[in-house]
Amino acid sequence: MPNNKLEKIVSLCKRRGFIFPGSEIYGGIGGFYDFGPLGAELKFNIKQAWWRDVVQMRDDVVGLNAAIIMNPKAWEASGHVSGFADMLVECSKCHIRYKADDMPDKCPECGNKLDNAKARSFNIMFKTFVGPAEDTASVAYLRPETAGGIFVNFKNVIDTMRVKVPFGIAQIGKTFRNEINPKDFIFRTREFEQMELEYFVEPDDSGRAFDEWVGLREKWYEQLGLKNIRKHEQSKEERAHYSKATIDIEYEFPFGWKEIEGIANRGDFDLKSHSEYSGQDLSYTDKESGEKYLPHVIEPSAGVDRIMLAFLCDAYTEEEDRVVLKLHPRLAPYKAAVFPLLKNKPELVSKAHEVYSLLAKNYSLGPIAWDDRGNIGKRYYSQDEIGTMHCITIDYQTLEDGTVTVRDRDTMKQERVLAKELTNILKEKVG
Ligand code: GAP
C-alpha cells in the first residue's frame, strides 16, 4: 500500500465531513477527534451492525448501557488501579514523552538518544473528582473499558432476565485512556468507543465457546466486506496474566498489521475478583442441576473507531477518474442520493423532492442525500467519494412515464426504474 494512503484518507475525512481534529478552532487537543455528519452516520452504522448481529439476532445475548463513571473500587477489583500502566520514557533534553514499547532510538524532536532503561510506569486511566471536594476520597475514573460495567451488573442481569448459561451481556460505549502517544489518526486515541461482549459459560465449555466466538467474529468482518484481515494468537508473554488464550483479529493498515479486536478467554478472573472486592456472591446456580459455580468468560472486544479506520482504508479506491469509498451497503452513510437533472426547472425539482420524501420516510434506508449543484458528472464524483450506494436522477422522462435513473456506485451502470418501486428496489439492493 502506498505510504501516503493514510494521508489521503485523513484529508478526505476532513474535506467531506467524516472526521475533524478535536476542538480544532482552539488549535486541537492531542488524541481526540470529532466525528462530522458523515462520520457520525458511518460510526452509527458500524455500531448498529454489531448490535444487530451480536445482540438482537441472538436469543442468548442481552444488551446493557452502564454508567461511564463507576465506584472506583470496581477498578481496584479489575486490576486497573494497580496495573493499567504503560512504560514511559522521557527525553532528557526536550522532555517529550514516549511509550517505551513503541519508541524510536532517538527523539524525533531534538535527536537526543532515548534510554529505555529509564522507563517508568504510568497509569493511563483518566482521573476525575465526584462532587465538589477535590480530595482523595472523591477520586473517580473515566472507564478504561466498557467490560467493567458488565461485570458489576452480572447479578442484576441474572436476577432480572431469563438468562441461562451460556449467555452473554453486551455493551457499546465511550472509553477513555490517557495514551502516552496517541497516533495513526483514529487508530490510537484517548477517547474512543468499544463494543464488548462478555459471554458466560460453564468452566468446561470455555474452549469450545472461545473457538466459536473467534470464528463468528472473523466471519462478521468478512460479511461486511473487510479484506486484508488475519488472526494472531497471543503468546503467554503477550497476554494478560488472567487470560488462558487470546486471539487478535488484525487488519493490514497502511502503517502495518494491527489489532482491531481481541477475543480472550478470561477464565473466572473477573467475577471472582468482583465477588471478593464487593462482598457479593456473584456465582450462578443452574436451575436444573442445582449446581452453583462462577461462570468463565469469553470476551470479544472491539474498538469502533479502529474498525471504522479499517473499513475506510479498505474501502478507499482510486480509479482512473474518480475516488470511490466502496463501503459495504450496511455501512455506507447514504444508501441513496436524489438529484433533479436541472435545478432551475421547478417541475423537475418538485418531482425530485417527492422522490426524496418517499425514500427519506423509510427508516431502514437511513438518511438520503440531496444534491442539485453543478452537473450530473460532478454530483456522481462527489457521491462516490463518500460511498453513496445509488444516485437517482429525476429528468424529463420522469415527468412523462414516472421512471428515474438509478446509477450504481461500484459498477457505474444505470438502469431506469419506476419511482414508485424505488423503496423496494433499494431495500433489496442494500439488504
Ligand atoms: N476489555 C478488553 C480490552 O479493553 P483492549 O485490547 O485493551 O481490550 C480492545 O481493547 C479494543 O479496543 C482494541 O482491539 C481496539 O480496537 C480498541 N482500542 C484499545 N485502545 C484503543 C485506543 N487507544 N484507541 C482506539 N481504540 C482502542
Side-chain angles (χ1 to χ4, degrees):
M1 270 190 220
N3 284 337
N4 62 0
K5 180 167 177 178
L6 185 64
E7 283 163 37
K8 289 181 180 173
I9 290 168
V10 174
S11 154
L12 186 148
C13 284
K14 172 85 205 298
R15 202 162 23 86
R16 299 305 310 271
F18 280 89
I19 305 168
F20 309 128
S23 321
E24 198 182 10
I25 61 167
Y26 289 102
I29 170 167
F32 296 89
Y33 286 89
D34 296 335
F35 293 84
L38 296 187
E41 291 296 337
L42 176 54
K43 242 186 160 190
F44 176 79
N45 292 345
I46 293 171
K47 291 187 280 185
Q48 202 187 36
W50 188 88
W51 194 256
R52 182 102 192 103
D53 297 343
V54 175
V55 186
Q56 294 178 332
M57 298 280 285
R58 300 183 61 106
D59 61 6
D60 60 347
V61 177
V62 291
L64 183 80
N65 189 338
I68 288 175
I69 294 185
M70 295 169 45
N71 187 313
K73 271 195 192 155
W75 302 117
E76 285 174 31
S78 64
H80 284 84
V81 171
S82 59
F84 198 53
D86 278 339
M87 295 308 284
L88 175 152
V89 172
E90 184 169 327
C91 171
S92 58
K93 206 164 153 194
C94 71
H95 303 289
I96 288 187
R97 290 162 177 178
Y98 299 93
K99 196 174 166 187
D101 61 9
D102 193 21
M103 71 175 199
D105 292 339
K106 284 186 177 167
C107 174
E109 284 302 311
C110 69
N112 189 29
K113 193 164 170 9
L114 296 169
D115 186 358
N116 214 330
K118 290 197 177 139
R120 63 187 163 91
S121 176
F122 170 73
N123 193 307
I124 62 171
M125 275 201 296
F126 276 102
K127 263 188 199 163
T128 186
F129 300 96
V130 174
E134 296 197 357
D135 54 25
T136 45
S138 55
V139 164
Y141 303 95
L142 300 191
R143 69 179 172 206
E145 59 174 23
T146 57
I150 297 179
F151 295 120
V152 303
N153 281 290
F154 175 75
K155 193 167 152 35
N156 281 335
V157 173
I158 54 173
D159 287 349
T160 54
M161 304 297 291
R162 287 171 156 265
V163 287
K164 196 168 160 258
V165 166
F167 76 94
I169 307 177
Q171 172 159 233
I172 299 181
K174 285 277 188 180
T175 303
F176 303 84
R177 296 184 188 178
N178 196 2
E179 297 282 359
I180 298 168
N181 292 131
K183 66 175 196 174
D184 296 323
F185 195 29
I186 56 167
F187 176 82
R188 193 200 287 157
T189 55
R190 291 180 166 132
E191 173 178 336
F192 54 98
E193 283 184 276
Q194 282 184 318
M195 308 188 287
E196 297 199 295
L197 168 70
E198 307 302 326
Y199 195 75
F200 301 96
V201 297
E202 283 181 35
D204 289 349
D205 193 28
S206 66
R208 178 208 60 81
F210 177 75
D211 292 344
E212 187 180 329
W213 276 106
V214 170
L216 284 170
R217 294 306 303 141
E218 192 180 21
K219 215 158 115 205
W220 189 78
Y221 291 103
E222 286 164 1
Q223 279 170 353
L224 288 174
L226 194 68
K227 303 175 290 294
N228 306 319
I229 55 169
R230 71 177 186 193
K231 285 180 290 188
H232 163 71
E233 176 151 18
Q234 286 192 10
S235 64
K236 213 170 169 200
E237 292 69 43
E238 282 175 281
R239 51 182 202 250
H241 65 94
Y242 50 77
S243 166
K244 293 179 166 175
T246 300
I247 287 187
D248 291 338
I249 296 179
E250 297 184 335
Y251 173 76
E252 191 178 19
F253 287 97
F255 42 90
W257 285 97
K258 302 279 175 188
E259 172 197 335
I260 52 173
E261 168 161 357
I263 299 111
N265 179 345
R266 299 174 69 106
D268 63 1
F269 168 77
D270 305 276
L271 291 180
K272 199 175 186 175
S273 189
H274 285 295
S275 289
E276 280 166 20
Y277 277 76
S278 68
Q280 302 280 318
D281 180 5
L282 298 184
S283 58
Y284 168 85
T285 305
D286 186 310
K287 290 213 170 63
E288 275 148 42
S289 67
E291 196 194 345
K292 190 174 169 182
Y293 59 90
L294 274 180
H296 283 211
V297 174
I298 307 302
E299 179 195 67
S301 170
V304 183
D305 313 59
R306 231 177 239 196
I307 291 174
M308 176 168 169
L309 183 59
F311 279 122
L312 283 168
C313 291
D314 224 44
Y316 181 90
T317 313
E318 286 178 356
E319 290 179 356
E320 217 172 295
D321 52 3
R322 64 175 190 154
V323 169
V324 203
L325 271 191
K326 294 192 172 173
L327 289 165
H328 188 275
R330 284 178 83 184
L331 303 183
Y334 292 124
K335 312 302 178 223
V338 174
F339 311 153
L341 181 67
L342 299 166
K343 78 168 180 184
N344 53 359
K345 298 286 172 196
E347 63 277 31
L348 291 180
V349 174
S350 133
K351 188 74 193 163
H353 274 304
E354 232 176 77
V355 173
Y356 178 89
S357 306
L358 182 83
L359 298 177
K361 261 192 269 172
N362 210 289
Y363 173 75
S364 61
L365 290 177
I368 306 293
W370 169 270
D371 197 354
D372 58 9
R373 296 158 309 160
N375 64 39
I376 291 287
K378 278 193 185 142
R379 295 184 215 168
Y380 285 157
Y381 185 92
S382 166
Q383 295 298 328
D384 285 346
E385 212 184 26
I386 57 172
T388 305
M389 298 297 310
H390 302 99
C391 292
I392 295 151
T393 307
I394 283 72
D395 55 19
Y396 286 108
Q397 196 176 328
T398 315
L399 304 179
E400 282 165 25
D401 63 8
T403 62
V404 295
T405 62
V406 180
R407 183 245 195 201
D408 179 278
R409 177 195 71 193
D410 298 340
T411 62
M412 294 190 282
K413 288 212 173 98
Q414 295 184 29
E415 54 176 331
R416 278 205 92 88
V417 304
L418 280 169
K420 63 178 187 213
E421 283 171 11
L422 260 180
T423 312
N424 287 340
I425 294 169
L426 290 186
K427 267 196 199 166
E428 206 162 292
K429 286 180 192 282
V430 168

